[in-house]
Amino acid sequence: MKKQSIAETLIYQRKLKGLSQEQLAEKTRVTVRTIQRLEKAEVTPHLKTVKMLAAALEIEVDDLLQLDNPGNEAIQQKWLLLMHSAPFLGFVLPFMNILLPLFLWIHKREDNPVYEQHGRAVINFQLTMTLMFILAFIALLTIEGFGFLFFLAVLPYAVIVMLSNIVAVLHNKGCRYPLAIPFLKMNKAGIVGTVTLLCVLGLTDLIVAKPAFATPPNQPVNSISNEQLADFSKALDALRQQKHIPGLAVAIVADQQLRWSDGFGSSHFDTGDGNSYRKATADTPFWIASVTKPLLALLFLKLAEQDIVNLDKPINDMPGWQNFCGWLAQSTIIFGQDLRCNEKISIRNVLNHNVNGQPGTAFLYNPIMYSRLSRYLEYLHGNPVNAAEQGHNVMAQLMQKYILGPAAMERTTAGQWQSEKASVFFDMAQGYQYSDGRYAKLLRPDRHFAGGAGIVSTVNDLARFDIAFDTGAIASTAVMQTVFEPAKAPDGTALPYAFGWYVQHYNGEKLIWHGGWDEDAGFSALYLKIPGRNLTFIILANSEGMWWGNPLDKAQVENSPFAQVFLKHFVFTDN
């Protein structure tokens, strides 16, 4: 899809905020004439102008600054290639692997945020590898056996990562430097403290003759063979066809690395409406339905950590609560069962599905309550609660800021109104219903981000989330210690749900998971983690055929045929 120009984006964002050109000029030091010329694409703005406009519109600079000129794109790519390839000079001249990228970063970072981002990544990685090389050299001199292996591993690892990023820049201008310490995000004390700590830890490991980067306890290295994956693929595709699912996308994460991902069947095929066949791939966006909840609950935990949200405050305070709750409690909908509207129902209760009956005492899956959380965020931000139903609402903006952006989930949207991610909307798989030997195309779930559902994503992006989540890249230690801790009944019994995740034990393994099912739109999903094996299984489908009917008051993922085929091939291999 063609990228929006700066002019188109500026007009869209200005009108989205309900501002005239004159009002926008008043909020900035940019003249009305300049704004008019920008919106007519008569001039190319300076970065300073873009920053002032972005601040006034309360958006990120990247939301406005999109290169759509092929010549500019080519120049940008050349600068990025120079940034990523310059460190190779360090193999000839000491420390030039740091100094040259640092010079380029200082010189170009004000020109475009992409130079700022890539330059930081390169410098952080080179500083980290230099430190690693020093530790490896010490190990070589002091530890027989391991020291030699450690020394041999550092240099090839650095070269492979550097080359892969050059290829990535040529392909999609992306970059990823695993293990890099974010030195350029720290203050001076932070940098000194980090380096000192690493040196102390490295020397301690040398003294006790243990590898500095040994696998943590209970985190075994997974050896998944290609033969296992081939057998699993066949079994999975056979199950797909048996369940009449048009298309599947699958990913397996092992030891915080994407081990394998693929697509089966079709994301679109002709059902008489003239649409052409399209193969499902690991980058095909799917409506993930209730698999949204783990991401949403993590967002609330992060907001609570920053005192933006108080999880113990009652959702009852929200305007319109009594009307909504009264209606639901008196309806025949099962989620209104024994709903006590005059009792305090906290945000924590909602996130743990402990709202029915005496709040906080029992588990009953209640997606309707989850979907009120978007209204609660509008209320906290001083907006009318029905603003949640408008476009890119507050919840969607916060999800992008705190989760999707930091996890580099570029093929994921919170709701379907992110203009900069319009391609995800247009590439999204079509949902189908199978009945009497025929497939029927269902209406696209063109919805705002409510909370219980609303995210469109790919298995590769969800794998990125899983890796960022498990490595602590998007959540603090305090949040990670909370997120999988189930709520407890009054007698101390652990309930089967914890902040967006079902938690259960099966055949001696702890299983953490969430399913997704939307029969009206024609989608189903499963996100399954086996923490004792450091394994994650993610699968998305464009029909409801993957859903197994999990009870509303229990966690029984073992009844899912798709979970079973995964567990059989990679967990309970001796059974």
Side-chain angles (χ1 to χ4, degrees):
M1 180 180 174
K2 177 184 177 293
K3 289 184 180 179
Q4 285 184 304
S5 66
I6 295 176
E8 293 169 330
T9 306
L10 178 58
I11 293 170
Y12 171 81
Q13 294 289 352
R14 176 175 61 77
K15 291 184 177 179
L16 189 64
K17 297 296 187 299
L19 298 174
S20 65
Q21 292 175 334
E22 291 76 12
Q23 289 170 323
L24 180 58
E26 289 177 5
K27 289 171 69 71
T28 65
R29 287 180 290 174
V30 181
T31 65
V32 175
R33 176 57 182 155
T34 298
I35 293 173
Q36 290 172 343
R37 295 180 69 193
L38 286 174
E39 292 190 350
K40 292 179 181 179
E42 294 177 350
V43 294
T44 300
H46 296 291
L47 183 59
K48 183 178 179 181
T49 303
V50 175
K51 287 181 177 179
M52 289 191 292
L53 291 170
L57 293 169
E58 299 178 347
I59 59 176
E60 299 295 328
V61 172
D62 288 349
D63 292 337
L64 284 177
L65 198 58
Q66 302 180 42
L67 292 176
D68 56 346
N69 182 297
N72 287 343
E73 292 278 9
I75 293 171
Q76 183 189 72
Q77 188 177 61
K78 289 177 181 177
W79 276 110
L80 292 178
L81 281 173
L82 182 58
M83 279 184 175
H84 289 278
S85 59
F88 280 99
L89 190 59
F91 293 117
V92 180
L93 300 174
F95 299 108
M96 288 304 291
N97 62 313
I98 298 171
L99 296 177
L100 187 53
L102 182 63
F103 171 79
L104 293 171
W105 176 65
I106 293 172
H107 177 65
K108 296 295 295 180
R109 63 179 179 172
E110 289 295 327
D111 292 355
N112 192 302
V114 74
Y115 300 139
E116 163 78 9
Q117 175 191 351
H118 282 249
R120 282 179 180 269
V122 173
I123 296 165
N124 284 334
F125 180 75
Q126 292 303 324
L127 285 169
T128 303
M129 286 299 102
T130 300
L131 181 59
M132 290 281 288
F133 185 80
I134 293 171
L135 292 175
F137 185 73
I138 295 172
L140 177 65
L141 298 177
T142 56
I143 299 177
E144 185 177 353
F146 166 72
F148 178 70
L149 294 174
F150 183 26
F151 183 78
L152 284 183
V154 172
L155 191 59
Y157 172 79
V159 171
I160 290 170
V161 172
M162 290 160 64
L163 287 173
S164 68
N165 277 280
I166 291 174
V167 173
V169 167
L170 287 170
H171 180 63
N172 60 10
K173 291 188 293 192
C175 70
R176 183 171 181 270
Y177 286 94
L179 302 183
I181 301 169
F183 290 104
L184 292 184
K185 287 187 178 181
M186 300 179 180
N187 55 29
K188 292 181 180 179
I191 294 174
V192 172
T194 301
V195 173
T196 303
L197 179 61
L198 284 172
C199 290
V200 169
L201 290 175
L203 291 174
T204 301
D205 280 339
L206 293 176
I207 293 170
V208 299
K210 290 183 179 178
F213 300 97
T215 304
N218 300 320
Q219 301 286 309
V221 175
N222 290 283
S223 56
I224 297 176
S225 68
N226 291 333
E227 289 76 15
Q228 273 181 296
L229 289 172
D231 290 343
F232 174 65
S233 297
K234 290 178 183 177
L236 194 65
D237 198 34
L239 185 57
R240 174 189 72 83
Q241 295 177 55
Q242 177 189 333
K243 296 293 184 180
H244 306 291
I245 298 173
L248 284 179
V250 191
I252 295 176
V253 178
D255 302 315
Q256 287 81 54
Q257 295 183 8
L258 178 61
R259 176 63 180 86
W260 173 80
S261 63
D262 204 352
F264 301 87
S266 59
S267 63
H268 301 74
F269 59 78
D270 190 354
T271 57
D273 59 3
N275 285 339
S276 60
Y277 170 88
R278 223 182 295 174
K279 186 184 184 306
T281 74
D283 286 315
T284 298
F286 287 76
W287 177 258
I288 68 173
S290 287
V291 171
T292 294
K293 290 182 176 68
L295 283 74
L296 190 278
L298 179 63
L299 172 64
F300 266 76
L301 287 172
K302 288 170 67 72
L303 295 177
E305 188 177 42
Q306 299 182 32
D307 294 325
I308 297 173
V309 171
N310 185 334
L311 299 184
D312 295 314
K313 286 286 188 180
I315 196 172
N316 314 51
D317 293 344
M318 184 173 58
W321 168 260
Q322 287 299 330
N323 287 339
F324 159 74
C325 189
W327 160 79
L328 182 58
Q330 295 170 21
S331 72
T332 58
I333 300 172
I334 193 170
F335 306 120
Q337 172 184 303
D338 196 16
L339 191 58
R340 305 177 186 183
C341 300
N342 293 323
E343 297 277 357
K344 173 189 171 183
I345 300 175
S346 69
I347 300 302
R348 188 184 305 273
N349 296 150
V350 175
L351 291 172
N352 286 322
H353 294 293
N354 307 143
V355 301
N356 295 82
Q358 183 64 37
T361 64
F363 169 74
L364 182 73
Y365 185 73
N366 196 324
I368 291 182
M369 282 296 182
Y370 246 78
S371 292
R372 305 308 285 187
L373 291 172
S374 58
R375 292 171 174 262
Y376 184 76
L377 284 180
E378 297 291 346
Y379 155 66
L380 281 189
H381 283 75
N383 303 325
V385 293
N386 61 4
E389 299 177 8
Q390 300 173 5
H392 198 41
N393 60 22
V394 167
M395 179 180 283
Q397 294 170 39
L398 294 174
M399 178 61 72
Q400 176 62 39
K401 178 179 180 180
Y402 289 105
I403 306 292
L404 307 185
M409 300 171 72
E410 297 300 323
R411 294 280 286 171
T412 301
T413 63
Q416 299 182 43
W417 296 93
Q418 288 186 257
S419 60
E420 71 277 15
K421 292 184 177 180
S423 62
V424 177
F425 176 85
F426 289 106
D427 292 344
M428 190 174 86
Q430 172 65 55
Y432 295 95
Q433 181 183 63
Y434 180 82
S435 179
D436 298 326
R438 297 176 62 86
Y439 289 96
K441 186 171 75 169
L442 299 178
L443 292 176
R444 177 188 293 269
D446 186 6
R447 306 174 196 166
H448 64 281
F449 185 26
I455 284 181
V456 176
S457 189
T458 70
V459 291
N460 277 344
D461 257 14
L462 289 173
R464 291 184 182 96
F465 167 80
D466 190 74
I467 294 166
F469 184 45
D470 283 350
T471 57
I474 56 173
S476 67
T477 301
V479 168
M480 292 303 295
Q481 289 173 344
T482 302
V483 68
F484 296 136
E485 187 62 34
K488 288 183 171 58
D491 63 359
T493 304
L495 299 174
Y497 202 87
F499 293 106
W501 297 94
Y502 284 93
V503 181
Q504 67 175 101
H505 289 82
Y506 175 69
N507 280 2
E509 291 286 348
K510 186 176 185 179
L511 307 181
I512 299 172
W513 61 275
H514 213 290
W517 174 46
D518 190 331
E519 60 180 332
D520 294 328
F523 290 91
S524 49
L526 176 62
Y527 185 163
L528 171 62
K529 296 174 69 66
I530 301 94
R533 304 294 183 104
N534 235 0
L535 278 173
T536 296
F537 173 51
I538 304 166
I539 181 167
L540 307 176
N542 61 344
S543 86
E544 63 171 325
M546 206 165 66
W547 182 241
W548 69 96
N550 188 76
L552 293 176
D553 60 348
K554 294 181 178 65
Q556 295 179 341
V557 74
E558 70 274 15
N559 290 337
S560 160
F562 290 88
Q564 277 293 345
V565 75
F566 174 75
L567 294 172
K568 176 183 175 182
H569 281 82
F570 301 107
V571 181
F572 307 121
T573 54
D574 296 331
N575 295 350

